[in-house]
Amino acid sequence: MAVTNNEIAVIFNRIGDILEIQGENPFRVRAYRNAARMVQGLSSSLAEMVEQGESLEALPTIGKDLAAKIREIVTTGSLRKLRQLETSVSPGVVDLLKVPGLGPKRLKLLRDYLNIHDVNELENAARQGLVRQLPGFGQKTEQNILRELQDLQHRVRRFLWAEVEDIAEQLVTYLRKQPGVKKVEMAGSYRRRRETVGDLDILVSAAKDSKVMDAFTAFEAVERVISKGHTRSTVVLRTGLQVDLRVVPQVSFGAAWHYFTGSKAHNIAVRVMGVQRGLKVNEYGIFDKRGKRIAGRTEKEIYDQMELQWMEPELREQRGELEAAAAGRLPKLVVGSDLRGDLHCHTTRSDGQNSMEAMANAAKTLGHDYLAITEHSLHLRVARGLAADDLLAHCEAIDRLNGKRKGIRLLKGVEVDILEDGSLDMPDHVLQRLDICLGAIHFAFGLSEQKQTERVIRAMDNPNVNILAHPTARLIGKRSACRLDMEQVMDAALERGCYLELNSQPQRLDLNDVYCRMAKERGLKVVISTDAHSTGQLGYLRYGVAQARRGWLEKGDVLNTRGLTSLLKMLQR
Ligand code: DGT
Ligand code: CA
Ligand code: CA
């Protein structure tokens, strides 16, 4: 990843802080602070300017010395000067300076009055209520400090896409209602439907006298305001989710929407295409040699200038989408309404929350033609897995329900545990009676790549197995993917007439986007299923569809876009 302007600004600010603590000449201190502010407000990326050999000295507040420092940061990722300075003050002070809201002046007070020299001492003092007694601190500052200390420990937290869906929609609806607001759109990783998001990016165009920024910072779920300006504000919600809002003129809306949707790598590639055409591309538009804006109102205008088809945000990851667009070969991505049914769910018979009848009704309401009932096998005791006899009895119940019910077909299935040696946790004579069999790993996640790969391939050797459910068994943010040679697994599935699942549970989304694409390239069909444990979760297909789209999947690449007859045929091995 290229160094961001923000990272450069942080380095300059830190130098300013240390120089001030050391009692350096105030002019030098201010030079760094001014440069940091300028860098932060800059619309073009310094890293890109350096890469393209553009002059930095032409920028305000940047002389020869600072220009050289920027080049050093961009090319090496850090700055020797800062490292030297950091060794000249105590390590505790370096950490304290990283706490937002703590500058040299406050550090001096903390040191002089409370003898605080590091983060631990600061936390203890704040917990004891000592910090609030210092001149200019107060109770609120003390609380903020404690929160910042916590945040510093959890800085890496990203949110599942599905976790932020509701608040994102609420925010957009709320902003659209504000007087003078013309347009509100989500951008960033949220719009690209990444499985996790670092923060939300919202774009607004509004009349000059609109009070949209006031409305934004007053939004009910906002916990604190990090910055507030006319064109950009940043807030943190009570959940810890950060939200950036930018107000852009309508003539630039498409350019800004494209820029802030990203990904960064995609943006840079488009910008380079512009350079090759003698055009300047930024978040304000596309400009010709004379500086005249020739595109910017819509995203289509941006792509038109590059002689490219407009493309779906899910594709914009600089993974060949620009080449595909240039060749007119962008995929026609699968959409939710292409899916005809769901091949993985649980009822109260194992660890689901709703009866089979309720699940069938809910699936029918969603317009599904079929729903596979796939309870766990016995090995998974925590999930009240079924023994052979119980599963057979359950199948009879499914038959009875199918006899009574019109408009949806329930398939008799199982999610059978793949044991450590690759054998299955259910006798073959039972599996033979089913319409569909999912094999899944629920334990022994840590096997070597070779052992794990052999394990799942051996499971697929069993001719009753149709689908490998949540193939890598990862839980985003909680458990890493099993080590598997995925190319081997996919080739083995293809040879045996098996399929791989894309599990739509927000924490699984397993297969991921890269593996979906790998399957597509091999001609291996993917099954998008919910693994629903309640009627509400049957709606999770949309998360799986989003991941599939990020993996370039089209309708034909997805098994359960087939109607019932064709599906049953394809499940025959
Ligand atoms: P996230 O928030 O980590 O899940 O990922 P994004 O993609 O939402 O990234 P974010 O919020 O940092 O920035 C939003 C978009 O703004 C990003 O997708 C592309 C654009 N952008 C940000 N920084 C740069 C940059 O330095 N250069 C270029 N060309 N675009 C950038
Ligand atoms: Ca973002
Ligand atoms: Ca952002």
Side-chain angles (χ1 to χ4, degrees):
M1 238 350 169
V3 174
T4 63
N5 289 358
N6 191 49
E7 288 165 282
I8 295 170
V10 166
I11 291 176
F12 284 171
N13 270 326
R14 206 161 286 158
I15 292 179
D17 288 345
I18 296 179
L19 291 177
E20 187 175 342
I21 286 173
Q22 295 178 328
E24 260 281 352
N25 178 342
F27 289 105
R28 275 196 70 203
V29 174
R30 210 172 305 141
Y32 280 104
R33 297 249 161 86
N34 289 343
R37 203 170 312 123
M38 189 284 301
V39 166
Q40 214 138 25
L42 204 63
S43 65
S44 39
S45 152
L46 286 167
E48 286 173 39
M49 289 178 70
V50 169
E51 273 158 37
Q52 286 163 23
E54 288 178 49
S55 156
L56 302 175
E57 283 86 345
L59 294 167
T61 76
I62 302 294
K64 225 186 186 154
D65 175 47
L66 285 174
K69 289 199 165 63
I70 291 172
R71 280 190 209 100
E72 187 187 337
I73 297 169
V74 167
T75 47
T76 69
S78 63
L79 188 66
R80 240 169 336 166
K81 166 93 177 172
L82 177 61
R83 289 200 300 274
Q84 281 163 6
L85 281 172
E86 283 180 338
T87 55
S88 68
V89 291
S90 77
V93 168
V94 175
D95 288 338
L96 283 170
L97 280 173
K98 288 180 187 159
V99 180
L102 282 192
K105 290 193 185 66
R106 283 188 159 162
L107 281 195
K108 186 166 168 15
L109 287 172
L110 288 168
R111 195 177 50 219
D112 293 349
Y113 284 88
L114 296 172
N115 201 23
I116 287 172
H117 293 96
D118 63 34
V119 173
N120 274 338
E121 290 170 354
L122 175 62
E123 182 163 10
N124 287 336
R127 286 201 191 290
Q128 290 166 34
L130 297 174
V131 172
R132 70 180 75 164
Q133 296 167 19
L134 295 183
F137 274 75
Q139 193 169 349
K140 208 160 164 213
T141 312
E142 189 178 66
Q143 277 167 1
N144 282 342
I145 287 174
L146 277 171
R147 196 166 34 221
E148 293 292 358
L149 287 174
Q150 273 194 342
D151 283 3
L152 274 179
Q153 286 157 6
H154 303 290
R155 206 20 71 83
V156 284
R157 170 155 161 69
R158 295 179 65 84
F159 290 76
L160 294 177
W161 193 96
E163 269 181 292
V164 303
E165 180 182 20
D166 281 348
I167 200 73
E169 282 182 6
Q170 283 171 33
L171 250 170
V172 168
T173 310
Y174 167 82
L175 291 169
R176 283 194 178 135
K177 283 198 305 234
Q178 302 308 318
V181 168
K182 295 172 193 155
K183 241 180 165 153
V184 180
E185 296 291 353
M186 294 296 308
S189 53
Y190 184 84
R191 186 176 177 224
R192 301 198 314 280
R193 302 290 304 238
R194 275 194 62 182
E195 56 200 32
T196 62
V197 301
D199 70 354
L200 293 182
D201 304 278
I202 307 181
L203 282 191
V204 167
S205 86
K208 268 219 165 59
D209 58 353
S210 160
K211 300 264 192 303
V212 64
M213 281 305 187
D214 292 338
F216 175 59
T217 52
F219 181 64
E220 167 281 306
V222 169
E223 188 180 76
R224 66 204 149 97
V225 177
I226 290 188
S227 65
K228 184 176 174 189
H230 290 297
T231 58
R232 176 176 179 179
S233 298
T234 300
V235 301
V236 176
L237 306 182
R238 281 192 300 270
T239 53
L241 177 67
Q242 188 169 311
V243 187
D244 282 347
L245 184 138
R246 292 177 179 84
V247 176
V248 300
Q250 274 201 303
V251 282
S252 296
F253 197 87
W257 202 18
H258 178 259
Y259 181 93
F260 291 111
T261 293
S263 65
K264 193 167 153 180
H266 174 93
N267 285 351
I268 292 173
V270 169
R271 193 172 178 188
V272 168
M273 290 181 79
V275 171
Q276 286 158 357
R277 288 169 165 70
L279 301 171
K280 192 170 145 200
V281 183
N282 59 29
E283 65 266 49
Y284 300 104
I286 297 186
F287 302 86
D288 67 13
K289 285 223 168 61
R290 289 165 302 154
K292 183 169 173 279
R293 188 198 321 262
I294 55 172
R297 199 171 277 276
T298 64
E299 279 194 333
K300 186 173 174 302
E301 282 183 16
I302 304 298
Y303 286 114
D304 278 350
Q305 281 301 325
M306 305 298 148
E307 295 168 84
L308 297 174
Q309 296 168 261
W310 177 87
M311 66 188 80
E312 313 268 5
E314 292 93 326
L315 295 174
R316 303 183 197 170
E317 297 289 348
Q318 181 60 355
R319 295 179 186 157
E321 70 276 12
L322 292 169
E323 293 77 1
R329 274 204 287 271
L330 282 174
K332 187 171 184 300
L333 299 180
V334 62
V335 295
S337 56
D338 289 335
L339 299 189
R340 303 284 295 273
D342 193 339
L343 296 179
H344 188 166
C345 80
H346 301 271
T347 76
T348 44
R349 192 62 191 80
S350 65
D351 61 344
Q353 283 166 29
N354 296 103
S355 69
M356 189 154 62
E357 186 134 30
M359 293 297 277
N361 284 336
K364 194 175 151 187
T365 307
L366 288 174
H368 291 351
D369 297 342
Y370 46 84
L371 173 68
I373 307 291
T374 54
E375 312 293 7
H376 289 287
S377 62
L378 190 62
H379 190 277
L380 207 59
R381 281 179 201 278
V382 284
R384 307 204 304 127
L386 272 58
D389 288 350
D390 295 332
L391 181 58
L392 287 174
H394 192 46
C395 285
E396 282 171 27
I398 295 175
D399 282 337
R400 278 197 301 277
L401 202 55
N402 269 330
K404 283 196 290 189
R405 176 162 301 280
K406 294 267 159 355
I408 183 158
R409 165 81 178 270
L410 299 179
L411 301 178
K412 290 172 284 190
V414 70
E415 179 180 10
V416 63
D417 253 279
I418 301 175
L419 302 178
E420 192 165 337
D421 64 357
S423 62
L424 301 178
D425 182 34
M426 190 64 72
D428 284 343
H429 72 90
V430 178
L431 296 179
Q432 277 158 16
R433 308 265 289 270
L434 305 174
D435 299 312
I436 185 167
C437 170
L438 319 183
I441 287 177
H442 292 115
F443 68 101
F445 303 113
L447 299 185
S448 70
E449 179 175 307
Q450 194 193 344
K451 284 236 163 67
Q452 199 71 273
T453 305
E454 282 168 10
R455 178 188 186 187
V456 299
I457 293 180
R458 169 130 192 258
M460 291 190 289
D461 282 341
N462 183 315
N464 296 301
V465 172
N466 304 111
I467 294 168
L468 198 55
H470 46 73
T472 77
R474 71 158 176 178
L475 294 176
I476 297 170
K478 293 225 168 94
R479 182 169 72 218
S480 340
C482 285
R483 280 169 291 169
L484 280 174
D485 182 335
M486 197 53 90
E487 302 198 343
Q488 259 193 59
V489 171
M490 288 187 178
D491 290 341
L494 206 53
E495 278 164 24
R496 289 161 181 74
C498 290
Y499 305 95
L500 263 51
E501 178 182 88
L502 192 187
N503 188 295
S504 306
Q505 293 284 321
Q507 209 169 69
R508 289 197 185 268
L509 292 174
D510 178 14
L511 300 173
N512 69 16
D513 48 2
V514 171
Y515 287 145
C516 284
R517 183 106 175 256
M518 191 190 270
K520 178 195 175 94
E521 275 157 13
R522 291 178 144 62
L524 174 64
K525 308 272 176 270
V526 171
V527 184
I528 307 178
S529 295
T530 59
D531 194 359
H533 285 67
S534 64
T535 50
Q537 290 188 1
L538 287 167
Y540 282 6
L541 276 183
R542 65 181 184 281
Y543 304 131
V545 168
Q547 185 81 311
R549 289 163 62 84
R550 290 180 51 81
W552 293 46
L553 297 195
E554 302 178 271
K555 183 177 177 182
D557 301 318
V558 179
L559 180 71
N560 49 322
T561 57
R562 307 311 197 264
L564 179 65
T565 318
S566 159
L567 172 83
L568 291 175
K569 214 176 285 163
M570 290 179 77
L571 288 176
Q572 298 294 324
R573 287 184 51 175

PDB file of all heavy atoms in Angstrom, residues 293-309:
ATOM      1  N   ARG A 293     -12.656  21.373 -17.309  1.00  0.00           N
ATOM      2  CA  ARG A 293     -13.314  20.150 -16.856  1.00  0.00           C
ATOM      3  C   ARG A 293     -14.098  19.532 -18.010  1.00  0.00           C
ATOM      4  O   ARG A 293     -14.941  20.172 -18.618  1.00  0.00           O
ATOM      5  CB  ARG A 293     -14.267  20.459 -15.708  1.00  0.00           C
ATOM      6  CG  ARG A 293     -14.841  19.200 -15.043  1.00  0.00           C
ATOM      7  CD  ARG A 293     -16.080  19.478 -14.219  1.00  0.00           C
ATOM      8  NE  ARG A 293     -16.033  20.721 -13.486  1.00  0.00           N
ATOM      9  CZ  ARG A 293     -15.706  20.833 -12.203  1.00  0.00           C
ATOM     10  NH1 ARG A 293     -15.403  19.784 -11.504  1.00  0.00           N
ATOM     11  NH2 ARG A 293     -15.699  22.016 -11.623  1.00  0.00           N
ATOM     12  N   ILE A 294     -13.772  18.280 -18.342  1.00  0.00           N
ATOM     13  CA  ILE A 294     -14.479  17.652 -19.458  1.00  0.00           C
ATOM     14  C   ILE A 294     -15.345  16.486 -19.007  1.00  0.00           C
ATOM     15  O   ILE A 294     -16.051  15.884 -19.817  1.00  0.00           O
ATOM     16  CB  ILE A 294     -13.489  17.181 -20.557  1.00  0.00           C
ATOM     17  CG1 ILE A 294     -12.435  16.259 -19.958  1.00  0.00           C
ATOM     18  CG2 ILE A 294     -12.839  18.370 -21.250  1.00  0.00           C
ATOM     19  CD1 ILE A 294     -11.556  15.607 -21.012  1.00  0.00           C
ATOM     20  N   ALA A 295     -15.291  16.158 -17.728  1.00  0.00           N
ATOM     21  CA  ALA A 295     -16.167  15.104 -17.195  1.00  0.00           C
ATOM     22  C   ALA A 295     -16.212  15.243 -15.681  1.00  0.00           C
ATOM     23  O   ALA A 295     -15.306  15.829 -15.081  1.00  0.00           O
ATOM     24  CB  ALA A 295     -15.644  13.720 -17.573  1.00  0.00           C
ATOM     25  N   GLY A 296     -17.254  14.705 -15.068  1.00  0.00           N
ATOM     26  CA  GLY A 296     -17.289  14.747 -13.601  1.00  0.00           C
ATOM     27  C   GLY A 296     -18.661  14.618 -12.981  1.00  0.00           C
ATOM     28  O   GLY A 296     -18.789  14.284 -11.810  1.00  0.00           O
ATOM     29  N   ARG A 297     -19.702  14.877 -13.777  1.00  0.00           N
ATOM     30  CA  ARG A 297     -21.034  14.880 -13.184  1.00  0.00           C
ATOM     31  C   ARG A 297     -21.506  13.469 -12.823  1.00  0.00           C
ATOM     32  O   ARG A 297     -22.153  13.264 -11.799  1.00  0.00           O
ATOM     33  CB  ARG A 297     -22.010  15.535 -14.158  1.00  0.00           C
ATOM     34  CG  ARG A 297     -23.293  16.026 -13.549  1.00  0.00           C
ATOM     35  CD  ARG A 297     -24.096  16.849 -14.544  1.00  0.00           C
ATOM     36  NE  ARG A 297     -23.653  18.224 -14.590  1.00  0.00           N
ATOM     37  CZ  ARG A 297     -24.070  19.167 -13.740  1.00  0.00           C
ATOM     38  NH1 ARG A 297     -24.926  18.869 -12.798  1.00  0.00           N
ATOM     39  NH2 ARG A 297     -23.621  20.394 -13.828  1.00  0.00           N
ATOM     40  N   THR A 298     -21.158  12.503 -13.670  1.00  0.00           N
ATOM     41  CA  THR A 298     -21.565  11.115 -13.391  1.00  0.00           C
ATOM     42  C   THR A 298     -20.342  10.201 -13.497  1.00  0.00           C
ATOM     43  O   THR A 298     -19.337  10.562 -14.119  1.00  0.00           O
ATOM     44  CB  THR A 298     -22.599  10.600 -14.421  1.00  0.00           C
ATOM     45  OG1 THR A 298     -21.963  10.568 -15.710  1.00  0.00           O
ATOM     46  CG2 THR A 298     -23.823  11.501 -14.466  1.00  0.00           C
ATOM     47  N   GLU A 299     -20.462   9.028 -12.922  1.00  0.00           N
ATOM     48  CA  GLU A 299     -19.382   8.043 -13.041  1.00  0.00           C
ATOM     49  C   GLU A 299     -19.216   7.617 -14.495  1.00  0.00           C
ATOM     50  O   GLU A 299     -18.098   7.376 -14.950  1.00  0.00           O
ATOM     51  CB  GLU A 299     -19.702   6.808 -12.199  1.00  0.00           C
ATOM     52  CG  GLU A 299     -19.389   6.968 -10.733  1.00  0.00           C
ATOM     53  CD  GLU A 299     -19.399   5.638  -9.994  1.00  0.00           C
ATOM     54  OE1 GLU A 299     -20.104   4.708 -10.437  1.00  0.00           O
ATOM     55  OE2 GLU A 299     -18.703   5.543  -8.974  1.00  0.00           O
ATOM     56  N   LYS A 300     -20.334   7.528 -15.197  1.00  0.00           N
ATOM     57  CA  LYS A 300     -20.269   7.091 -16.586  1.00  0.00           C
ATOM     58  C   LYS A 300     -19.373   8.046 -17.391  1.00  0.00           C
ATOM     59  O   LYS A 300     -18.583   7.602 -18.225  1.00  0.00           O
ATOM     60  CB  LYS A 300     -21.673   7.025 -17.184  1.00  0.00           C
ATOM     61  CG  LYS A 300     -21.695   6.430 -18.573  1.00  0.00           C
ATOM     62  CD  LYS A 300     -23.109   6.208 -19.080  1.00  0.00           C
ATOM     63  CE  LYS A 300     -23.112   5.738 -20.525  1.00  0.00           C
ATOM     64  NZ  LYS A 300     -22.437   6.669 -21.454  1.00  0.00           N
ATOM     65  N   GLU A 301     -19.496   9.345 -17.116  1.00  0.00           N
ATOM     66  CA  GLU A 301     -18.650  10.318 -17.813  1.00  0.00           C
ATOM     67  C   GLU A 301     -17.160  10.016 -17.590  1.00  0.00           C
ATOM     68  O   GLU A 301     -16.340  10.165 -18.496  1.00  0.00           O
ATOM     69  CB  GLU A 301     -18.927  11.733 -17.300  1.00  0.00           C
ATOM     70  CG  GLU A 301     -20.193  12.363 -17.843  1.00  0.00           C
ATOM     71  CD  GLU A 301     -20.358  13.798 -17.341  1.00  0.00           C
ATOM     72  OE1 GLU A 301     -19.376  14.406 -16.825  1.00  0.00           O
ATOM     73  OE2 GLU A 301     -21.471  14.306 -17.457  1.00  0.00           O
ATOM     74  N   ILE A 302     -16.840   9.600 -16.365  1.00  0.00           N
ATOM     75  CA  ILE A 302     -15.433   9.303 -16.049  1.00  0.00           C
ATOM     76  C   ILE A 302     -14.947   8.126 -16.896  1.00  0.00           C
ATOM     77  O   ILE A 302     -13.914   8.184 -17.561  1.00  0.00           O
ATOM     78  CB  ILE A 302     -15.268   8.964 -14.545  1.00  0.00           C
ATOM     79  CG1 ILE A 302     -15.811  10.094 -13.662  1.00  0.00           C
ATOM     80  CG2 ILE A 302     -13.816   8.629 -14.204  1.00  0.00           C
ATOM     81  CD1 ILE A 302     -15.118  11.411 -13.806  1.00  0.00           C
ATOM     82  N   TYR A 303     -15.736   7.042 -16.865  1.00  0.00           N
ATOM     83  CA  TYR A 303     -15.324   5.861 -17.629  1.00  0.00           C
ATOM     84  C   TYR A 303     -15.349   6.134 -19.139  1.00  0.00           C
ATOM     85  O   TYR A 303     -14.501   5.643 -19.881  1.00  0.00           O
ATOM     86  CB  TYR A 303     -16.193   4.654 -17.271  1.00  0.00           C
ATOM     87  CG  TYR A 303     -15.866   4.073 -15.901  1.00  0.00           C
ATOM     88  CD1 TYR A 303     -16.778   4.124 -14.863  1.00  0.00           C
ATOM     89  CD2 TYR A 303     -14.623   3.488 -15.658  1.00  0.00           C
ATOM     90  CE1 TYR A 303     -16.476   3.597 -13.609  1.00  0.00           C
ATOM     91  CE2 TYR A 303     -14.309   2.963 -14.414  1.00  0.00           C
ATOM     92  CZ  TYR A 303     -15.244   3.020 -13.393  1.00  0.00           C
ATOM     93  OH  TYR A 303     -14.930   2.505 -12.168  1.00  0.00           O
ATOM     94  N   ASP A 304     -16.340   6.927 -19.582  1.00  0.00           N
ATOM     95  CA  ASP A 304     -16.411   7.263 -21.010  1.00  0.00           C
ATOM     96  C   ASP A 304     -15.100   7.881 -21.494  1.00  0.00           C
ATOM     97  O   ASP A 304     -14.607   7.558 -22.578  1.00  0.00           O
ATOM     98  CB  ASP A 304     -17.545   8.280 -21.259  1.00  0.00           C
ATOM     99  CG  ASP A 304     -18.903   7.592 -21.369  1.00  0.00           C
ATOM    100  OD1 ASP A 304     -18.923   6.339 -21.435  1.00  0.00           O
ATOM    101  OD2 ASP A 304     -19.934   8.302 -21.383  1.00  0.00           O
ATOM    102  N   GLN A 305     -14.541   8.780 -20.693  1.00  0.00           N
ATOM    103  CA  GLN A 305     -13.295   9.440 -21.080  1.00  0.00           C
ATOM    104  C   GLN A 305     -12.166   8.440 -21.277  1.00  0.00           C
ATOM    105  O   GLN A 305     -11.234   8.681 -22.028  1.00  0.00           O
ATOM    106  CB  GLN A 305     -12.881  10.476 -20.032  1.00  0.00           C
ATOM    107  CG  GLN A 305     -13.636  11.787 -20.116  1.00  0.00           C
ATOM    108  CD  GLN A 305     -13.474  12.470 -21.455  1.00  0.00           C
ATOM    109  OE1 GLN A 305     -12.414  12.400 -22.074  1.00  0.00           O
ATOM    110  NE2 GLN A 305     -14.533  13.109 -21.923  1.00  0.00           N
ATOM    111  N   MET A 306     -12.232   7.328 -20.559  1.00  0.00           N
ATOM    112  CA  MET A 306     -11.189   6.306 -20.677  1.00  0.00           C
ATOM    113  C   MET A 306     -11.591   5.255 -21.725  1.00  0.00           C
ATOM    114  O   MET A 306     -10.944   4.218 -21.838  1.00  0.00           O
ATOM    115  CB  MET A 306     -10.967   5.611 -19.331  1.00  0.00           C
ATOM    116  CG  MET A 306     -10.640   6.550 -18.186  1.00  0.00           C
ATOM    117  SD  MET A 306      -9.110   7.440 -18.492  1.00  0.00           S
ATOM    118  CE  MET A 306      -9.493   8.986 -17.651  1.00  0.00           C
ATOM    119  N   GLU A 307     -12.706   5.523 -22.407  1.00  0.00           N
ATOM    120  CA  GLU A 307     -13.261   4.567 -23.371  1.00  0.00           C
ATOM    121  C   GLU A 307     -13.512   3.210 -22.734  1.00  0.00           C
ATOM    122  O   GLU A 307     -13.167   2.153 -23.265  1.00  0.00           O
ATOM    123  CB  GLU A 307     -12.343   4.433 -24.597  1.00  0.00           C
ATOM    124  CG  GLU A 307     -12.269   5.733 -25.386  1.00  0.00           C
ATOM    125  CD  GLU A 307     -11.155   5.711 -26.408  1.00  0.00           C
ATOM    126  OE1 GLU A 307     -11.401   5.185 -27.489  1.00  0.00           O
ATOM    127  OE2 GLU A 307     -10.049   6.202 -26.087  1.00  0.00           O
ATOM    128  N   LEU A 308     -14.095   3.268 -21.530  1.00  0.00           N
ATOM    129  CA  LEU A 308     -14.416   2.045 -20.805  1.00  0.00           C
ATOM    130  C   LEU A 308     -15.903   2.014 -20.505  1.00  0.00           C
ATOM    131  O   LEU A 308     -16.529   3.058 -20.346  1.00  0.00           O
ATOM    132  CB  LEU A 308     -13.669   2.004 -19.464  1.00  0.00           C
ATOM    133  CG  LEU A 308     -12.142   1.977 -19.504  1.00  0.00           C
ATOM    134  CD1 LEU A 308     -11.596   2.093 -18.093  1.00  0.00           C
ATOM    135  CD2 LEU A 308     -11.660   0.701 -20.173  1.00  0.00           C
ATOM    136  N   GLN A 309     -16.432   0.782 -20.404  1.00  0.00           N
ATOM    137  CA  GLN A 309     -17.796   0.639 -19.919  1.00  0.00           C
ATOM    138  C   GLN A 309     -17.828   1.004 -18.442  1.00  0.00           C
ATOM    139  O   GLN A 309     -16.868   0.735 -17.723  1.00  0.00           O
ATOM    140  CB  GLN A 309     -18.238  -0.826 -19.997  1.00  0.00           C
ATOM    141  CG  GLN A 309     -18.313  -1.432 -21.364  1.00  0.00           C
ATOM    142  CD  GLN A 309     -18.473  -2.955 -21.199  1.00  0.00           C
ATOM    143  OE1 GLN A 309     -17.524  -3.691 -21.311  1.00  0.00           O
ATOM    144  NE2 GLN A 309     -19.697  -3.408 -20.914  1.00  0.00           N
TER     145      GLN A 309
END
